[in-house]
């Protein structure tokens, strides 16, 4: 059976070239980068090389990059680190309704500690209006955090504009760029961001490694206390193979970005246009063009997401859904609710996220298999009969 | 979370999908937990359920429990059918993940409603005949 992985927004396969770059750092260059001997120093050079690669990819200076254990840690660090460092200046944070849980949960936590958080709504495409952010600013606002692109519907936010507003008011600005690093160009100067999170495993790098870009002069309390690593901003022995792999992944992504964007955008459009034109009562979630090149999110009326995922999995296709039935809270995706989808359409949502390995054949295969799956489930659906016959 | 082989088997090949023409009882329920919907149709002859069909908008567990409940009620008396609990349906499927037990409750409620509907209808037609 064909096996087609279209869940790259959840995680990507590690590129073989990345893996090959990492291997020596498990078995040959295994020293602790903090050690003064040759074993340690060679490892230290490798992480500094990776830091340089990462910094230059986003227009930052190497000393502005902190290595972490992933996107979740970077986001937690950013939100809580700024909140605790600046609580004397104010207690108000602005974010959006469609952030990843790794932003929303730290915000909920801070609300219990007495901070106030404004959650900016989005329009039907999932776009944040910079004017809404500006209106939400108060005397006590210390941090604005808006994601660069959404992981479910792929909408790319006007980060540069929001950053400009924040900078004009002297408010720290953070962006969660976990879905964008290595996928679309990022320049922290053009985006006017002070703090940025990213993660290795979303761009064909290893899991368990991330970065936090912190602009020089930005004050943040460290999240991990311990050794002196990362200029005392993040303790713990470096994940050397992970950091080396992340560096390699970014290097490859940067080299290949132009043609990758072109290829994926074309496959993406073929996929969603194919679905919209062959299956009736379908709807594209997110924006048509202000959209990650690898993201397709469709709602298919009268069917439920989990049963579609299971059926597609039986045909070898891996994707995901925002259906309530697949979430541990039994609530539909907060992102799909925020763009105003009715509950039933959130139920019938499917996300296909393309990757480096995705081919035209894969997309053709999905377009061949999906209509049959939908017909089968609609024939069982009490909603379909009523609406349609 | 993982489904048992039996759940997947019923999910892949659900039994008794569809509606019945001139059913003797219909149970329509919506699931307050996650928003799913199930319809169950039964045919009764001489106090015995002779046929059952369903339509379901819901997850894998909802489809499998719907399928199983239609299998379980067939050839049962109304009294015995009333005793079928959601646990019995789940057990017949080799168990459900804890988070999916509420889907089997939907199947039980649809069945109870269909049986109620049957009894209301037969009471009405009995009083109709008497008049
Ligand atoms: C937008 C976004 N932020 C944060 C994360 C969390 O990243 P990580 O899995 O590296 O902790 C993810 C990935 O799931 C994501 O998509
Ligand atoms: S029907 Fe929604 S979880 Fe089963």
């Amino acid at each position: 059976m064909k096996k087609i992985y279209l869940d790259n927004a959840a995680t990507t396969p590690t590129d073989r070239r990345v893996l090959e770059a990492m291997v020596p750092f498990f078995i040959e260059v295994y020293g602790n980068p903090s050690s003064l001997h040759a074993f340690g120093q060679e490892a230290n050079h490798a992480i500094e090389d990776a830091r340089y690669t990462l910094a230059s990819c986003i227009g930052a200076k190497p000393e502005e990059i902190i290595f972490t254990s992933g996107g979740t840690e970077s986001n937690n660090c950013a939100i809580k680190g700024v909140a605790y460092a600046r609580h004397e200046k104010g207690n108000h944070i602005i974010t959006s309704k469609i952030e990843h849980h790794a932003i929303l949960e730290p915000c909920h936590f801070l609300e219990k500690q007495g901070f106030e958080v404004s959650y900016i709504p989005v329009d039907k495409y999932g776009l944040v209006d910079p004017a809404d952010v500006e209106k939400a600013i108060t005397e006590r606002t210390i941090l604005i955090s808006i994601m660069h692109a959404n992981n479910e519907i792929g909408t790319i936010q006007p980060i540069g504009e929001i950053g400009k507003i924040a900078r004009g008011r002297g408010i720290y600005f953070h962006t969660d760029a976990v879905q964008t690093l290595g996928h679309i160009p990022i320049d922290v100067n053009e985006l006017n961001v002070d703090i940025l999170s990213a993660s290795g495993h979303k761009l064909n790098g290893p899991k368990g490694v991330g970065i936090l870009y912190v602009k020089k002069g930005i004050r943040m309390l460290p999240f991990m206390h311990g050794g002196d690593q990362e200029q005392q901003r993040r303790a713990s022995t470096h994940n050397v193979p992970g950091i080396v792999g992340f560096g390699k992944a970014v290097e490859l992504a940067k080299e290949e970005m132009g043609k990758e964007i072109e290829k994926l955008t074309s496959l993406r459009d073929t996929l969603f246009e194919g679905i919209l034109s062959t299956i009736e009562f379908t709807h594209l979630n997110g924006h048509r063009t202000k959209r990650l090149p690898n993201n397709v999110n469709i709602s298919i009326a009268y069917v439920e997401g989990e049963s579609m995922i299971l059926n597609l999995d039986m045909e070898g296709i891996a994707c995901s859904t925002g259906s309530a039935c697949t979430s541990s809270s039994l609530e539909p995706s907060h992102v799909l609710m925020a763009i105003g989808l009715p509950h039933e359409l959130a139920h019938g949502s499917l996300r296909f996220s393309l990757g480096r390995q995705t081919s035209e054949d894969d997309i053709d295969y999905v377009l061949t298999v999906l209509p049959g799956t939908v017909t089968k489930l609609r024939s069982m659906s009490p909603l379909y009969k009523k609406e349609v016959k | 979370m993982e489904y048992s082989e039996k759940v997947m088997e019923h999910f892949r090949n659900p039994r008794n999908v569809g509606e019945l023409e001139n059913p003797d009882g219909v149970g329509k329920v919506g699931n307050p937990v996650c928003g799913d919907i199930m319809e169950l149709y039964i045919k009764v002859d001489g106090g015995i359920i002779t046929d059952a069909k369903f339509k379901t908008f819901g997850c894998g567990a909802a489809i499998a429990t719907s399928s199983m409940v239609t299998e379980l009620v067939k050839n049962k008396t109304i009294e015995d059918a009333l005793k079928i609990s959601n646990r019995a349906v789940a057990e017949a499927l080799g168990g459900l993940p804890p988070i999916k037990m509420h889907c089997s409750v939907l199947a039980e409620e649809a069945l109870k409603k269909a049986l109620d509907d049957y009894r209301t209808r037969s009471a009405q037609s009995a009083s109709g005949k008497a008049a």
Side-chain angles (χ1 to χ4, degrees):
Chain A
M1 187 178 67
K2 254 183 175 316
K3 275 184 102 176
I4 297 178
Y5 183 74
L6 291 171
D7 204 10
N8 290 279
T11 194
T12 56
T14 303
D15 192 296
R16 196 164 285 283
R17 294 166 291 179
V18 168
L19 178 65
E20 278 160 14
M22 292 170 67
V23 169
F25 293 88
F26 287 103
I27 51 182
E28 289 160 22
V29 192
Y30 44 76
N32 187 323
S34 305
S35 305
L36 284 178
H37 46 61
F39 293 86
Q41 286 311 297
E42 203 180 332
N44 190 45
H45 288 147
I47 62 175
E48 291 314 316
D49 285 348
R51 196 189 307 279
Y52 179 83
T53 307
L54 269 147
S56 58
C57 179
I58 60 171
K61 298 186 194 74
E63 62 273 21
E64 294 174 321
I65 303 293
I66 302 174
F67 286 110
T68 68
S69 67
T72 301
E73 182 188 329
S74 296
N75 283 344
N76 269 269
C77 247
I79 302 287
K80 295 184 226 169
V82 169
Y84 289 131
R86 304 196 88 200
H87 71 278
E88 272 153 25
K89 276 193 162 323
N91 68 342
H92 181 232
I93 296 169
I94 299 173
T95 186
S96 85
K97 288 203 160 149
I98 63 165
E99 299 298 309
H100 191 270
H101 290 294
I103 292 288
L104 294 176
E105 289 310 316
C107 285
H108 293 157
F109 169 79
L110 287 175
E111 282 181 291
K112 289 192 202 114
Q113 312 281 312
F115 286 86
E116 279 170 28
V117 183
S118 302
Y119 301 91
I120 304 296
V122 293
D123 69 9
K124 64 176 176 182
Y125 301 115
L127 281 166
V128 172
D129 183 347
D132 289 342
V133 175
E134 189 156 27
K135 270 184 255 157
I137 294 175
T138 73
E139 300 271 274
R140 312 213 16 100
T141 308
I142 48 173
L143 173 68
I144 299 173
S145 176
I146 304 287
M147 72 200 314
H148 192 191
N150 183 265
N151 47 303
E152 292 187 37
I153 55 174
T155 305
I156 302 172
Q157 302 296 346
I159 292 302
E161 270 182 77
I162 300 169
K164 206 165 152 188
I165 294 168
R167 196 148 291 171
R169 304 288 289 263
I171 299 165
Y172 286 4
F173 182 43
H174 166 257
T175 192
D176 173 350
V178 168
Q179 290 292 335
T180 50
L181 180 70
H183 296 280
I184 58 174
I186 294 181
D187 183 319
V188 289
N189 304 300
E190 280 171 26
L191 294 178
N192 301 313
V193 298
D194 300 313
I195 312 167
L196 174 145
S197 305
S199 179
H201 70 102
K202 309 283 188 181
L203 55 139
N204 304 94
K207 294 170 179 60
V209 60
I211 53 156
L212 194 60
Y213 154 78
V214 184
K215 189 181 165 69
K216 197 162 181 274
I218 293 295
R219 279 190 57 233
M220 263 176 66
L221 287 193
F223 190 61
M224 301 274 265
H225 302 272
D228 282 342
Q229 292 90 355
E230 300 292 287
Q231 303 162 24
Q232 299 180 335
R233 291 177 301 181
R234 200 272 185 184
S236 179
T237 300
H238 291 95
N239 169 7
V240 181
I243 290 170
V244 167
F246 194 1
K248 185 72 186 174
V250 166
E251 178 193 316
L252 295 172
K254 204 181 164 193
E255 269 168 34
E256 296 167 8
M257 192 184 292
K259 72 176 192 338
E260 200 64 16
I261 290 179
E262 205 176 306
K263 174 190 120 178
L264 291 178
T265 305
S266 149
L267 292 178
R268 173 195 80 186
D269 292 356
T270 307
L271 180 55
F272 78 67
E273 281 162 12
I275 296 173
L276 295 178
S277 65
T278 55
I279 308 175
E280 54 178 359
F281 310 111
T282 47
H283 163 87
L284 180 71
N285 296 317
H287 197 281
R288 267 184 186 258
T289 52
K290 290 175 189 164
R291 182 177 200 103
L292 287 172
N294 71 350
N295 174 290
V296 171
N297 189 312
I298 296 271
S299 276
I300 304 179
Y302 318 122
V303 290
E304 186 281 324
E306 185 196 290
S307 29
M308 275 194 291
I309 301 271
L310 292 171
N311 270 295
L312 291 172
D313 190 46
M314 289 168 350
E315 306 281 353
I317 299 170
C319 61
S320 74
T321 173
S323 168
C325 298
T326 54
S327 81
S328 52
S329 64
L330 295 169
E331 298 282 337
S333 140
H334 66 288
V335 176
L336 299 178
M337 291 290 103
I339 61 172
L341 276 199
H343 201 301
E344 308 87 76
L345 282 184
H347 241 65
S349 69
L350 283 183
R351 178 188 69 183
F352 298 97
S353 44
L354 288 48
R356 192 173 285 167
Q357 73 288 7
T358 309
S359 69
E360 216 170 296
D361 280 355
D362 294 346
I363 300 301
D364 287 347
Y365 182 69
V366 175
L367 288 173
T368 320
V369 168
L370 186 61
T373 301
V374 173
T375 306
K376 175 180 168 192
L377 288 170
R378 280 184 176 164
S379 74
M380 285 186 225
S381 168
L383 296 174
Y384 186 57
K385 141 198 99 170
K386 270 188 210 98
E387 298 283 332
V388 180
K389 282 188 195 154
Chain B
M1 191 206 77
E2 203 183 344
Y3 286 132
S4 71
E5 196 32 56
K6 192 100 196 205
V7 170
M8 283 311 292
E9 205 272 310
H10 272 260
F11 175 73
R12 277 192 287 269
N13 307 298
R15 327 290 199 263
N16 312 309
V17 174
E19 293 167 40
L20 288 175
E21 268 181 48
N22 306 317
D24 297 311
V26 182
K28 297 186 184 182
V29 286
N31 186 341
V33 184
C34 60
D36 297 302
I37 296 165
M38 177 174 177
E39 294 181 3
L40 185 69
Y41 301 82
I42 54 170
K43 194 104 192 134
V44 183
D45 195 358
I48 306 269
I49 300 171
T50 55
D51 204 358
K53 285 202 185 292
F54 80 91
K55 284 210 159 177
T56 291
F57 169 70
C59 73
I63 290 175
T65 50
S66 306
S67 166
M68 181 52 89
V69 86
T70 57
E71 288 282 277
L72 289 178
V73 295
K74 275 202 212 170
N75 303 318
K76 286 222 160 54
T77 61
I78 301 294
E79 287 67 37
D80 286 346
L82 274 168
K83 289 185 205 134
I84 298 174
S85 68
N86 75 303
R87 299 211 156 266
V89 180
E91 268 162 35
L93 285 167
L96 284 174
I99 191 163
K100 294 291 185 180
M101 280 308 283
H102 70 96
C103 316
S104 65
V105 173
L106 189 69
E108 179 187 321
E109 283 171 0
L111 174 61
K112 299 266 141 76
K113 264 203 156 155
L115 293 169
D116 266 2
D117 183 47
Y118 163 72
R119 291 200 287 198
T120 321
R121 288 185 197 209
S122 42
Q124 271 167 0
S125 63
S127 62
K129 268 176 215 148

